[in-house]
Amino acid sequence: MAASPDLVISQLYGAGGNANTTFFTHDYIEIFNRGSAPVTAEGWSVQYGSATSTGAWSGKSALPTFTVEPGQYILIQQQSGGSGQPALPGPVIVPQSGFNMSGTTGKVALVRDTVTLSGATPAGENIADLVGFGTANGAEGTRAPAMSASLALFRANGGCADSDDNSVDFATGAPAPRTSASARNTCGATVPQAKPIVPVCPASLALEQGKPGAVLLRASDEDSIVNGAVIASGSVPGISLGSLVAASANGGSASVNLQGAASLASGSYPLVIRFTNNAGQEATCPVNVSVSGAATIPQIQGAGAASPFANVSVSTEGVVTHKVSNGYFIQDANGDGDPSTSDGLFVFTGTAPLVAVGDLVRVKGTIVEYKPTGALRTYTEMKDVTGTDVLASGNSVTPANIAFVPGMDLARFEAMLVNISNALTVNQTNYLGDRGELTLSVGRRETATNRFRPGTPEALALAASNASNELVLDDSWFITPPAATPPCADVVACSGIPYLGQDGTVRAGDTVSNLVGVVDFGAIGGGRTAFKIQPTMAPSFTRSNPRLAAPELPAGNVKVASANVLNFFTTFLDGADAWGRTGQGCKVGSTTRPSNCRGADNMPEFVRQRDKIVGELKAIDADVVGLMEIQNNDDIAVDYLVKQLNAATGFETYAYVPKPATTGTDAIRVAMIYKPAKVTPVGGALSDGDAVNNRPPMAQTFKAANGAKFSVIVNHLKSKGGCGSGANADLGDGQSCNNATRVLQAQRLASYFIPQVVAAAGDPDVLVIGDMNAHGFEDPIHLLNQAGYVNQLERFVRPSGIPYSYVFDGESGYLDHALASASLDAQVVGATEWHTNADEPTVIDYNTDAKSAAAQALFKNDPFRSSDHDPVVVALNLAPAYADISSSVGVTGSGLRVDIFKNTYSGTLTFTNTSNAPITGPVHVVFSSLTPGVTVATRTGMLGTEPYITISNGTIPVGAKVTLSVVYSSPARKGVGFVTKILSGSL
């Protein structure tokens, strides 16, 4: 990058307002004119990208027009991480739209326009300056050092240095923002530059309530006399500066006492001290005065977002309402009657607390605003406890009765004992086993793009409603729930996993009442944060979403299912396989090794996985099943699964469709199995190996017993995980990562592959199924709908509830689809999802890793939690390809001639068109109820289990006769008996 001739970034600070800093309330960016002429910046912006961003940068502030003189600084304020620190010095530019910077690592650019930057290290004439710091993936040259809560980044030589190498040009130092009013620093000037005032201030002054105190502040200036000091901000009665002892000469030290009076109330008082000199310069330093003493819990909580006692040692009293693994909750039993302040407080001990529920305690410690990783708010608590006295025992606190409603601010009840008066719905069970958590909401939350088009006002409103409609039921442990100590009542009790019913599960969709506990805030499963309730008594669960033994839908003549079998691999991660061989591996691209495998770790896990999947497929009892996430090892894995499924049914119920020419290079592929007794494959399987398809779709045409043909296409589109860049980044519209690729895959499906399948089948009836990794109204599905393919889940499931097959972050939606062509749509009589998996806790699945032996024992050999996706099942009532015209045809037969050497009978059948219209062929005679042991040796084919002979492929005029010679084989020399049925059409 070319060195910036004039405006550059001269200072950065990203921890403004954070709980662990005493400097400033806001992040800031300081820019500087290192040139020799004024620069007017019009239409410029400052922009921010995270340390790892490779797509569009996340922060942008358009700047007003301003002019910067040579050697002049400009200060730009950004967003705040909290409150309680001094404000930035003025004058300062406050953009209409600010952004939060990381306090340690990231990228900041000064840009000559307002076009959003993209990429790790964007370049171009529009970029005036770029600074990458910490672990950033982009920078000028190599990145500058990381910032911290107490360190800002400074460009060398007061902003004059610019070697185009951030690591050379920048160093860290205590935050000291300069403004347009600060002393100029003309680069390259031959006259001496004014030296700055250098203040020396302690970070804090700690006082005990009722006792005065003071701390000495100093400042010096190498070429001037420091002769003034004032409290620039934060002054309150009881805090003052004593008489300044001015410096006696240039370079001398001035000193003044910062004094706190005995009358100061307990609390934290952030100040900014300003020193001045005889040259008109000034410099500031922050000092936090903290006064420890006694306060009530409501006083500590305060009415604001942060406690007025933050970072202050204080003592308080309260009744212990609940204990958790690393602390306890206390509550002012009487409260202050102010609805804006909480009456409860969490006391963090770090280890198991020694107090008992019901104890009235006086406890002393430091009040902090705890901010969990990724949280947008803090949680007031006490830590570093220095004294605990039990004043009485056997006390109680009456829970506050509240109705939880979406959007309510639970901060009002932070750490308080409450009784949730309304029943809530379980929305997620995924983290029950490893964190003891259930996500609760008012009703079931539907993924916004499952109901509305992305980016629409309706979708944005639903997403916002969902975000405000969450309360996590925790178990008072902040680790994996430990197994119970034997003896215990049963397997469920021994597991130690909370909230499981006697049937060993709790399901999303169940309801919870009698919810009494303390309101907590912190990390939850999935790397997020939320308000939680730590129960003080066992809540009551109602199985509002019962398990079904099998999918329920109307009967048709063909049933088709889509099932994601969650990485069903016959080769395991330990190098063994389903046949007991060792030293095996899975192929991905050009490599074959165990680490490429994705399913069971070993044989014991595989047996558990296999049995659950077999149980699910057996219960679905579909005639055709599309499978996703099965090992891509030719037909080995699908052949094994079919054999196990047939063993479970007791006869050769299923066969697999031989793999098509292309199955892709991924470790997994799609596959298809079917019932030969119900449908017959027509031709071979097709696939589309185009480069856009990382897992090629697979198609097979079938013929039903009534002669009707239809085609099934199984798909597994690009995952929402593992974001790409550019259009494949997470664009924040609810469609997550890689949406652009999924759209291309859907376009290829609609414009190329489906037409190819229809042409090969000679029939327009197509059912598109599979894991599309897109919710119901996202772009790929919308594209297919626009192309004429009808969403069967919207048609049959939506009228009675939310269609869903997957639960993520406590929201329900369907990634698994059934889309019918227009001609097939009229022949669909029902569609459903069988909720065997998405609602169930992962702790009952086949995996054994990270589970105690007691938790592993929760496993049951049943279909539930065989995968993370629910299967989709569709009932078809296919119109026959032929008509029964028996009433229009007269049949007469000759006597039979016997060949005793061949055990055959032969004769003729004569068919007469007795109707009043010509009969158009093909016309067939079917031999129904044929004597057991007798076959038709001259048959044309079989219709199901019955032989048939084609009478004529042409037209039979009115009154015309057609005679056939027929040979019957009867090894047991039984007589020949049958009933004729005359059919017209394709068989």
Side-chain angles (χ1 to χ4, degrees):
M1 294 187 178
S4 303
D6 36 54
L7 297 191
V8 293
I9 297 169
S10 53
Q11 188 179 165
L12 293 171
Y13 182 60
N18 289 4
N20 56 348
T21 182
T22 58
F23 281 93
F24 298 101
T25 56
H26 289 77
D27 300 348
Y28 63 81
I29 300 168
E30 178 193 284
I31 61 176
F32 173 70
N33 186 355
R34 60 188 295 272
S36 58
V39 176
T40 297
E42 182 176 0
W44 288 39
S45 65
V46 287
Q47 300 194 33
Y48 171 76
S50 70
T52 58
S53 64
T54 56
W57 284 25
S58 58
K60 179 171 66 179
S61 292
L63 300 177
T65 299
F66 59 91
T67 298
V68 192
E69 300 294 332
Q72 188 179 34
Y73 300 93
I74 296 292
L75 187 61
I76 303 169
Q77 176 176 294
Q78 291 299 330
Q79 289 187 355
S80 172
S83 61
Q85 298 86 3
L88 290 172
V92 59
I93 293 175
V94 182
Q96 287 187 345
S97 176
F99 49 78
N100 271 316
M101 296 190 291
S102 166
T104 56
T105 178
K107 298 170 293 195
V108 175
L110 176 62
V111 188
R112 294 186 176 94
D113 55 35
T114 57
V115 178
T116 301
L117 297 180
S118 182
T121 309
E125 294 183 358
N126 63 321
I127 299 176
D129 196 18
L130 171 68
V131 182
F133 50 95
T135 61
N137 60 3
E140 288 188 2
T142 54
R143 54 189 177 248
M147 298 188 295
S148 71
S150 59
L151 294 175
L153 276 177
F154 291 82
R155 184 179 288 274
N157 296 334
C160 294
D162 189 13
S163 68
D164 275 339
D165 190 325
N166 292 159
S167 65
V168 173
D169 293 339
F170 282 86
T172 57
R178 294 162 291 200
T179 73
S180 57
S182 299
R184 305 285 174 87
N185 177 30
T186 306
C187 301
T190 57
V191 296
Q193 298 297 304
K195 303 297 182 182
I197 298 172
V198 180
V200 179
C201 302
S204 62
L205 168 60
L207 303 175
E208 186 174 345
Q209 188 179 26
K211 297 181 180 180
V215 65
L216 187 65
L217 314 179
R218 296 180 180 275
S220 61
D221 188 324
E222 186 177 331
D223 59 359
S224 300
I225 295 174
V226 178
N227 58 8
V230 295
I231 299 176
S233 67
S235 179
V236 297
I239 297 178
S240 62
L241 290 177
S243 298
L244 175 76
V245 178
S248 58
N250 291 351
S253 177
S255 61
V256 65
N257 276 318
L258 176 63
Q259 303 168 150
S263 59
L264 275 175
S266 297
S268 180
Y269 304 94
L271 309 175
V272 175
I273 311 300
R274 179 185 298 126
F275 288 95
T276 55
N277 64 11
N278 60 353
Q281 294 174 286
E282 63 180 44
T284 60
C285 58
V287 181
N288 186 65
V289 178
S290 61
V291 182
S292 65
T296 66
I297 293 175
Q299 287 173 338
I300 292 172
Q301 285 285 2
S307 169
F309 293 84
N311 304 313
V312 174
S313 177
V314 66
S315 64
T316 191
E317 293 183 9
V319 176
V320 177
T321 56
H322 188 55
K323 300 197 307 180
V324 293
S325 59
N326 61 1
Y328 58 96
F329 296 83
I330 57 175
Q331 185 165 332
D332 187 318
N334 298 317
D336 64 350
D338 184 349
S340 66
T341 60
S342 170
D343 299 332
L345 181 69
F346 178 62
V347 180
F348 176 76
T349 58
T351 57
L354 301 178
V355 296
V357 172
D359 285 350
L360 175 64
V361 297
R362 178 183 295 124
V363 59
K364 183 176 183 180
T366 302
I367 302 301
V368 296
E369 288 296 321
Y370 172 63
K371 190 174 186 180
T373 302
L376 299 178
R377 67 179 308 279
T378 59
Y379 181 74
T380 304
E381 64 180 41
M382 178 182 283
K383 61 175 293 190
D384 300 330
V385 175
T386 58
T388 305
D389 296 315
V390 177
L391 307 180
S393 299
N395 298 277
S396 63
V397 172
T398 302
N401 289 313
I402 63 172
F404 177 77
V405 294
M408 74 180 302
D409 184 12
L410 284 171
R412 154 70 181 89
F413 302 98
E414 188 174 281
M416 284 180 60
L417 185 64
V418 299
N419 171 38
I420 308 294
S421 59
N422 53 324
L424 301 180
T425 301
V426 177
N427 272 244
Q428 178 167 254
T429 61
N430 283 0
Y431 303 106
L432 183 62
D434 54 0
R435 297 183 63 94
E437 295 174 352
L438 293 173
T439 301
L440 310 180
S441 304
V442 176
R444 188 152 195 156
R445 300 185 301 174
E446 181 176 7
T447 303
T449 53
N450 203 64
R451 191 191 305 179
F452 302 113
R453 291 284 292 133
T456 60
E458 295 85 356
L460 297 175
L462 180 55
S465 174
N466 286 345
S468 68
N469 183 14
E470 180 178 60
L471 178 63
V472 173
L473 174 60
D474 207 348
D475 66 341
S476 301
W477 291 92
F478 301 114
I479 57 173
T480 298
T485 302
C488 37
D490 51 31
V491 170
V492 173
C494 285
S495 73
I497 307 300
Y499 314 129
L500 293 173
Q502 290 302 305
D503 55 355
T505 192
V506 57
R507 288 167 54 86
D510 290 348
T511 50
V512 188
S513 56
N514 298 326
L515 195 56
V516 179
V518 290
V519 176
D520 193 10
F521 179 83
I524 62 171
R528 300 189 303 116
T529 57
F531 277 102
K532 303 188 278 189
I533 187 163
Q534 307 290 355
T536 56
M537 58 182 291
S540 299
F541 286 83
T542 301
R543 183 55 53 80
S544 307
N545 180 26
R547 287 173 166 178
L548 297 178
E552 296 179 349
L553 73 171
N557 51 20
V558 172
K559 184 161 55 172
V560 180
S562 169
N564 183 312
V565 292
L566 189 58
N567 294 317
F568 182 80
F569 277 55
T570 53
T571 313
F572 316 140
L573 282 158
D574 66 356
D577 68 12
W579 297 271
R581 297 173 296 195
T582 58
Q584 306 299 304
C586 297
K587 184 177 181 181
V588 175
S590 60
T591 65
T592 301
R593 50 186 174 227
S595 59
N596 287 340
C597 302
R598 302 185 188 175
D601 293 342
N602 47 50
M603 180 63 86
E605 277 195 351
F606 174 71
V607 171
R608 291 160 62 111
Q609 180 191 30
R610 176 199 69 198
D611 291 350
K612 276 193 172 289
I613 291 172
V614 167
E616 179 183 72
L617 295 177
K618 179 182 176 184
I620 294 172
D621 193 33
D623 304 317
V624 178
V625 184
L627 304 173
M628 286 68 64
E629 293 195 26
I630 195 164
Q631 185 176 355
N632 190 5
N633 58 347
D634 294 323
D635 284 328
I636 295 172
V638 67
D639 175 67
Y640 179 93
L641 181 58
V642 164
K643 288 176 178 175
Q644 297 297 314
L645 184 54
N646 287 341
T649 60
F651 50 93
E652 299 297 306
T653 308
Y654 284 95
Y656 64 85
V657 175
K659 71 180 183 67
T662 303
T663 60
T665 58
D666 199 352
I668 55 176
R669 72 173 180 99
V670 298
M672 217 179 307
I673 65 176
Y674 67 99
K675 290 181 178 179
K678 295 295 294 290
V679 294
T680 303
V682 177
L686 301 176
S687 63
D688 181 14
D690 186 82
V692 74
N693 292 317
N694 58 317
R695 294 179 288 258
M698 174 183 178
Q700 178 63 55
T701 301
F702 295 95
K703 181 181 288 188
N706 66 359
K709 287 198 295 186
F710 67 103
S711 299
V712 177
I713 302 178
V714 187
N715 302 267
H716 191 184
L717 301 192
K718 180 74 173 176
S719 169
K720 287 180 178 285
C723 275
S725 59
N728 273 321
D730 187 341
L731 302 181
D733 60 357
Q735 301 188 91
S736 194
C737 306
N738 304 312
N739 184 58
T741 294
R742 289 192 293 276
V743 168
L744 291 175
Q745 291 173 329
Q747 288 172 338
R748 175 81 180 177
L749 183 65
S751 64
Y752 172 77
F753 192 51
I754 295 177
Q756 180 190 15
V757 172
V758 169
D763 188 279
D765 293 348
V766 176
L767 185 64
V768 176
I769 61 173
D771 178 0
M772 311 296 274
N773 273 311
H775 288 109
F777 285 82
E778 293 181 6
D779 293 342
I781 308 305
H782 181 67
L783 186 153
L784 291 169
N785 294 158
Q786 294 296 103
Y789 298 94
V790 181
N791 189 325
Q792 301 304 310
L793 296 181
E794 289 296 320
R795 179 183 168 195
F796 288 101
V797 179
R798 173 73 68 185
S800 58
I802 297 172
Y804 69 94
S805 66
Y806 196 77
V807 173
F808 181 74
D809 274 350
E811 296 180 358
S812 300
Y814 61 104
L815 302 176
D816 305 88
H817 293 261
L819 307 170
S821 63
S823 61
L824 185 62
D825 179 51
Q827 302 172 74
V828 179
V829 294
T832 190
E833 300 128 329
W834 186 27
H835 299 305
T836 52
N837 300 319
D839 292 331
E840 301 281 346
T842 56
V843 71
I844 67 171
D845 68 12
Y846 75 86
N847 280 289
T848 59
D849 46 323
K851 294 178 186 175
S852 66
Q856 292 179 34
L858 292 170
F859 173 87
K860 291 182 180 179
N861 185 359
D862 59 28
F864 297 99
R865 201 64 195 188
S866 57
S867 176
D868 52 350
H869 290 246
D870 290 331
V872 173
V873 191
V874 178
L876 305 176
N877 194 17
L878 298 170
Y882 50 79
D884 189 334
I885 60 168
S886 301
S887 61
S888 298
V889 178
V891 183
T892 58
S894 69
L896 299 179
R897 296 183 300 277
V898 182
D899 186 330
I900 60 173
F901 299 104
K902 295 181 179 179
N903 294 325
T904 61
Y905 301 85
S906 58
T908 62
L909 291 175
T910 299
F911 305 92
T912 304
N913 180 356
T914 59
S915 70
N916 57 6
I919 297 174
T920 302
V923 180
H924 321 273
V925 57
V926 179
F927 296 83
S928 296
S929 304
L930 191 63
T931 302
V934 176
T935 59
V936 179
T938 53
R939 66 183 179 273
T940 303
M942 301 291 292
L943 182 61
T945 59
E946 297 177 331
Y948 71 89
I949 297 176
T950 300
I951 300 170
S952 171
N953 285 310
T955 299
I956 304 175
V958 175
K961 299 178 183 294
V962 177
T963 300
L964 290 179
S965 295
V966 186
V967 177
Y968 310 91
S969 176
S970 180
R973 299 186 179 182
K974 294 182 178 180
V976 178
F978 55 84
V979 175
T980 58
K981 183 164 55 177
I982 313 302
L983 305 178
S984 171
S986 261
L987 299 185

